[in-house]
Amino acid sequence: LFNFFFVEPLYSFQMDGKEYPVTIAVMLAASLITSSLMNRVRSHSREMAKKAYRTEILLDNSRRLRRIRDKKEAVKEVSGQIKKLLGLPVLFYLYSGGGLEGPFFFPADGEGHMQEEEFLNQKERAVAMWSAARGKRAGACTHTLPDAKAIYLPVKSGDRVYGVAGIALEERREIPPFEYSLLTAMLNEAGLVFERMEMMAASDERGKLYDSGRAYFSLSVLFSGQWNHYPGCCPDGGGL
């Protein structure tokens, strides 16, 4: 275009001057470098936008979970966040004492999605149990029990598993890397919340035992003091 519009003879691709090929080559190199730099800027902008979105989602998730004091409320909150992130049905199992409680099913919005009945079978429950017992993911789009209809991810803190989150992969497509990183971060946060709840419950139980012990001791002292008012029944009171 530069040659056609600005180089003599005009409106022709003919170049009579020896310097024109060099000029065009320099301009072509400059345009390629500029294009490469612009692509890098756009890519960097997209990454920064993703990081900002990730931070916003995780902070919102953390704020919501901090206000919760009941496990089933936490299940509902976490599952709602996952459903909002992925737009897919979510089922959640609580894991305690080597057994599963649930599933708690949260259908995706709209029509045409998988329903709860499709997951209420021993096959899906066995996959969830495998994930909980070993603390590893299993199910659809994994190398472990891939025939399942959902992918099952453990909710844990350290080596302690508190539950399993199942996401119904309706088209059997893997969760994109960015969304998967958000998902695992949300489940890790949930694991910390479940751990905190168990620690609080254990602390409350110890407090109740301590209060019971104090009450028993106070009653013992009280009755002991009243018993001393009967000299005939005490060793120092000249009893029998």
Side-chain angles (χ1 to χ4, degrees), residues 39-54:
N39 286 333
R40 289 187 182 183
V41 169
R42 292 193 195 97
S43 177
H44 182 70
S45 298
R46 285 194 295 267
E47 290 300 318
M48 292 301 294
K50 284 184 177 181
K51 288 182 180 180
Y53 177 70
R54 173 190 172 94

Side-chain angles (χ1 to χ4, degrees), residues 215-233:
Y216 177 78
F217 178 76
S218 299
L219 287 173
S220 299
V221 171
L222 176 63
F223 283 116
S224 176
Q226 290 180 347
W227 192 260
N228 288 334
H229 287 295
Y230 298 92
C233 298

Side-chain angles (χ1 to χ4, degrees), residues 2-14:
F2 176 80
N3 180 36
F4 189 82
F5 289 106
F6 301 105
V7 176
E8 294 290 344
L10 298 177
Y11 313 118
S12 169
F13 291 105
Q14 182 180 351

Side-chain angles (χ1 to χ4, degrees), residues 8-223:
E8 294 290 344
L10 298 177
Y11 313 118
S12 169
F13 291 105
Q14 182 180 351
M15 291 183 290
D16 294 333
K18 295 181 180 180
E19 71 278 6
Y20 291 142
V22 176
T23 302
I24 292 175
V26 170
M27 293 185 66
L28 178 61
S31 64
L32 291 175
I33 293 172
T34 303
S35 176
S36 176
L37 292 174
M38 288 301 297
N39 286 333
R40 289 187 182 183
V41 169
R42 292 193 195 97
S43 177
H44 182 70
S45 298
R46 285 194 295 267
E47 290 300 318
M48 292 301 294
K50 284 184 177 181
K51 288 182 180 180
Y53 177 70
R54 173 190 172 94
T55 301
E56 181 182 354
I57 289 289
L58 294 181
L59 284 176
D60 182 58
N61 184 62
S62 180
R63 282 195 297 267
R64 289 172 179 271
L65 288 176
R66 275 203 302 266
R67 298 194 294 264
I68 293 175
R69 295 292 181 269
D70 179 74
K71 282 187 176 182
K72 291 185 179 179
E73 288 183 20
V75 167
K76 182 178 179 181
E77 183 61 44
V78 173
S79 300
Q81 291 289 333
I82 295 173
K83 188 176 73 170
K84 180 180 176 182
L85 174 67
L86 301 176
L88 295 171
V90 178
L91 56 153
F92 203 105
Y93 291 92
L94 288 172
Y95 181 69
S96 172
L100 294 174
E101 179 185 356
F104 305 95
F105 186 75
F106 303 87
D109 298 329
E111 298 180 355
H113 294 286
M114 289 183 174
Q115 300 302 314
E116 183 176 6
E117 294 77 16
E118 300 183 57
F119 301 95
L120 299 180
N121 56 69
Q122 290 301 315
K123 180 180 177 181
E124 294 293 321
R125 192 177 187 88
V127 180
M129 187 66 193
W130 189 96
S131 177
R134 291 163 177 78
K136 298 180 181 179
R137 71 176 194 164
C141 296
T142 71
H143 297 296
T144 305
L145 305 171
D147 293 333
K149 294 183 179 180
I151 181 173
Y152 295 90
L153 305 171
V155 180
K156 60 182 182 178
S157 177
D159 294 329
R160 173 77 164 85
V161 177
Y162 296 95
V164 177
I167 299 95
L169 301 182
E170 297 175 324
E171 298 181 359
R172 303 196 71 80
R173 294 180 182 174
E174 289 190 21
I175 300 172
F178 176 70
E179 284 77 5
Y180 188 81
S181 68
L182 273 175
L183 175 60
T184 53
M186 291 166 65
L187 295 180
N188 289 338
E189 180 76 19
L192 293 174
V193 170
F194 285 128
E195 182 182 41
R196 185 198 70 201
M197 288 180 182
E198 288 206 349
M199 292 175 64
M200 291 176 62
S203 178
D204 290 344
E205 188 64 27
R206 286 194 296 269
K208 290 178 182 178
L209 290 174
Y210 177 73
D211 291 341
S212 298
R214 288 187 61 185
Y216 177 78
F217 178 76
S218 299
L219 287 173
S220 299
V221 171
L222 176 63
F223 283 116

